[in-house]
Amino acid sequence: MNAPIRVLVCDDQALIRTGFATILDAQADLEVVGECGDGRAAVDLARRLNPDVVVMDVRMPVLDGIEATRLLAGAGVAHPVKVLVVTTFNLDEYVYEALRAGASGFLLKDAPPAQLLHGIRTVAAGAALLAPEVTRQLVGRYAARIRPAEGAQGETALTPRELEVLRHIAEGLSNSEIAATLVISQETVKTYVSRILTKLDLRDRVQAVVYAYRTGLVT
């Protein structure tokens, strides 16, 4: 039997923390190893407890969830922690910033328990959790405020087909939708996605979406 997924729950509302913990501890494959109510405590506990996934609120005292995420999963972190951001608003600009900071995905606080469980399992498995419809709304809405990285587009090592796939990822298309659009198999799409992440030194699809907007590949 596999060891349970170890989860750290971080939210400044005690009722939310208790609710999440109750839902998670009822699952045989999940274990809540700690709870906290501010970003600084989240960073300290995550470094001490080494959880598989941190469920992170965005707006918290002392240190907000964005900075806490950056310290745990941002660029240059030797051993990044998988962070699943939760937020009250699906068009919250802070969530986009959290994704840039290294989060592996996000959910709404009012999502059904089944979505929370699926999200934690997905992130723990190393995949990104970024719903296509939310990608279009959230990233698209704030893309105009993102300053493209100078020269990045011309210097990319991606082939024309890989660039095409990356644009579709940034537009929020799933692998099956990309396959249908390009008239190729889903396995071929997976291969392209893997090559894109490797060439650009990106961790997951979330980072690929951010990269595409930051470099001006998608506007």
Side-chain angles (χ1 to χ4, degrees), residues 160-182:
R161 180 61 110 179
E162 289 166 350
L163 284 170
E164 193 173 13
V165 171
L166 176 57
R167 289 191 181 96
H168 286 315
I169 292 173
E171 290 166 357
L173 273 64
S174 65
N175 283 357
S176 61
E177 290 172 327
I178 295 174
T181 300
L182 301 181

Side-chain angles (χ1 to χ4, degrees), residues 86-165:
V86 293
T87 181
T88 305
F89 306 104
N90 65 337
L91 289 178
D92 190 337
E93 182 176 7
Y94 291 115
V95 178
Y96 174 78
E97 294 299 330
L99 297 178
R100 283 186 59 195
S104 293
F106 73 91
L107 286 174
L108 301 181
K109 284 187 179 179
D110 60 359
Q115 285 190 22
L116 174 64
L117 299 174
H118 171 71
I120 291 172
R121 290 169 180 142
T122 298
V123 170
L129 186 76
L130 193 59
E133 65 275 10
V134 180
T135 302
R136 296 187 186 102
Q137 294 180 59
L138 179 69
V139 183
R141 173 164 173 165
Y142 295 106
R145 305 184 190 183
I146 306 168
R147 183 178 181 182
E150 295 181 4
Q153 183 172 353
E155 296 171 2
T156 181
L158 301 183
T159 66
R161 180 61 110 179
E162 289 166 350
L163 284 170
E164 193 173 13
V165 171

